[in-house]
Amino acid sequence: MSTAPRLTALDAVHRALGATMTDFAGWDMPLRYASERDEHNAVRTKAGLFDLSHMGEITVTGPEAVDFLNYSLVGNIGSVGVGRARYTMIVAEDGGILDDLIVYRLGETEYMVVANASNAQTVLDELTGRVAGFDAEVRDDRDAYALLAVQGPESPGILKSLTDADLDNLKYYAGLPGAVAGVPALIARTGYTGEDGFELFVAPGDAEKLWGALMEAGAPVGMVPAGLSCRDTLRLEAGMPLYGHELTAELTPFDAGLGRVVKFEKTSRADSFVGRAALAAAAERAETAPPRKLVGLVAEGRRVPRAGFPVVADGKVIGEVTSGAPSPTLGKPIAMAYVDAEHAAPGTAGVGVDIRGAHEPYEVVALPFYKRQK
């Protein structure tokens, strides 16, 4: 039996703007409003406004909240200060990645875990199952928040016109409570575009008012509403992984080249954490026999690679594309791919992508493809 997709608090706004909608992770979400290339370029040069209310917020509270999160996640949550955030992952006992997450520390004993929409229920179930024995509570707060993101070089100025919060001293991966256009919000300096920007967690009932105020404030500097399609090309240019593509349950963080997020020594009473033994073995394997490495590929021609296409060299398959798209910023098709270590060095000759039987030449480059000027 089919289930109708969920609607965000901004659904009527998107439809009034003529957005092309799509079912994404069980939500009806705006794919684009007009031209995804124009939306992409606006975020790179001006600003874009996104509805990210499909993301999954899970609150963890209690005297042993930090111990519980250190046990459940691979990162050292004990070293996250109040008002700061950390990128981390939750893995299975075998070390396979279940999701990548951002954890915000909202207070001394209060944390908010933000999961990807497609994995939010999995993360909630895992955390709920792991909390036994800890003086902590796991709460599903997915219906308590709408999430708007203002991204792009003009985003600080746009937001400053609507809030008295101290944005100048708000660091990357930090958050603070404040009012934006009179709406109570958690203002976080985070994002998924490679640009400076902010994510605003608000009550769903305030989402339309805040969207309207942001669009009005951003109009003079060229801000546009932006959909999921350009969000994908923006994160791809920035070399940011997407679950289900660069990250899967079949890969450990070390396989994905993100072993740095795993902290074997943690500041808490938890002397171990879920997946520790498997991750220690994965770390050792990565040192002695490097797995396939995640690299960037830039097309010499115009054909666009897609996820799952084989990467080839000397007539042999040496890897697989995980994400691919035309890059509006580079003006060429680009891709991320896992390739054998001997073909992973930037500039490696003879590498191509098998696109429907034709081996199209690609240049191996270091990630990211694009890095903003500070």
Side-chain angles (χ1 to χ4, degrees):
M1 182 180 296
S2 63
T3 303
R6 298 180 67 183
L7 307 181
T8 78
L10 292 164
D11 183 73
V13 172
H14 303 318
R15 295 178 190 281
L17 290 169
T20 299
M21 306 295 287
T22 188
D23 186 342
F24 182 82
W27 290 82
D28 212 14
M29 297 296 295
L31 188 64
R32 70 182 69 83
Y33 297 86
S35 160
E36 56 201 49
R37 177 179 291 270
D38 289 348
E39 292 169 22
H40 178 112
N41 289 334
V43 175
R44 284 277 178 260
T45 61
K46 299 167 186 174
L49 179 60
F50 297 83
D51 177 10
L52 305 180
S53 301
H54 59 315
M55 301 294 282
E57 296 86 5
I58 301 163
T59 301
V60 178
T61 58
E64 294 183 339
V66 67
D67 295 326
F68 163 63
L69 288 171
N70 269 349
Y71 167 75
S72 298
L73 311 179
V74 303
N76 184 359
I77 308 305
S79 62
V80 180
V82 175
R84 299 307 301 267
R86 178 151 299 161
Y87 176 81
T88 188
M89 295 181 182
I90 183 169
V91 302
E93 198 65 69
D94 66 0
I97 302 167
L98 298 176
D99 201 14
D100 60 335
L101 313 163
I102 296 180
V103 178
Y104 297 87
R105 187 175 183 183
L106 304 181
E108 285 298 325
T109 59
E110 182 179 7
Y111 296 81
M112 181 169 66
V113 178
V114 180
N116 286 297
S118 56
N119 296 327
Q121 189 63 50
T122 297
V123 174
L124 177 65
D125 292 344
E126 286 290 330
L127 291 177
T128 301
R130 297 176 186 186
V131 76
F134 291 93
D135 188 0
E137 177 189 352
V138 176
R139 186 173 72 238
D140 180 2
D141 270 349
R142 285 176 290 179
D143 292 334
Y145 293 102
L147 177 57
L148 283 67
V150 186
Q151 298 283 300
E154 297 287 352
S155 58
I158 293 168
L159 210 55
K160 282 179 184 178
S161 72
L162 297 173
T163 183
D164 292 331
D166 185 8
L167 301 184
D168 289 336
N169 290 312
L170 183 63
K171 297 179 180 179
Y172 188 51
Y173 266 69
L176 81 169
V180 182
V183 171
L186 171 64
I187 306 168
R189 202 161 203 157
T190 46
Y192 194 51
T193 63
E195 298 297 338
D196 191 11
F198 303 86
E199 294 182 320
L200 308 173
F201 296 84
V202 301
D206 291 330
E208 280 199 29
K209 175 184 176 182
L210 182 57
W211 178 281
L214 288 165
M215 285 303 301
E216 184 178 353
V221 293
M223 185 169 77
V224 301
L228 294 183
S229 185
C230 82
R231 189 168 184 252
D232 190 49
T233 53
L234 289 160
R235 71 91 194 168
L236 176 55
E237 288 183 351
M240 294 178 169
L242 175 64
Y243 196 89
H245 291 255
E246 290 72 43
L247 309 176
T248 71
E250 286 68 50
L251 297 172
T252 72
F254 293 95
D255 297 326
L258 291 167
R260 63 182 181 276
V261 307
V262 180
K263 304 301 180 186
F264 290 108
E265 304 302 324
K266 304 193 182 190
T267 54
S268 78
R269 74 168 177 80
D271 57 2
S272 188
F273 57 92
V274 176
R276 189 185 196 285
L279 291 175
E284 187 173 345
R285 285 196 306 272
E287 292 241 345
T288 57
R292 285 182 167 179
K293 293 187 176 181
L294 187 66
V295 302
L297 299 174
V298 177
E300 295 182 16
R302 309 303 302 174
R303 299 189 73 184
V304 179
R306 298 299 182 188
F309 284 13
V311 182
V312 295
D314 302 321
K316 298 178 181 178
V317 175
I318 61 160
E320 183 176 296
V321 171
T322 55
S323 298
S327 166
T329 304
L330 276 65
K332 300 177 180 180
I334 60 173
M336 287 197 283
Y338 283 109
V339 303
D340 294 342
E342 58 265 32
H343 292 91
T348 300
V351 173
V353 176
D354 186 337
I355 301 181
R356 298 180 179 86
H359 290 188
E360 300 289 334
Y362 273 74
E363 179 187 1
V364 180
V365 301
L367 292 170
F369 300 97
Y370 165 86
K371 186 176 289 187
R372 71 182 175 91
Q373 300 297 313
K374 300 294 184 182

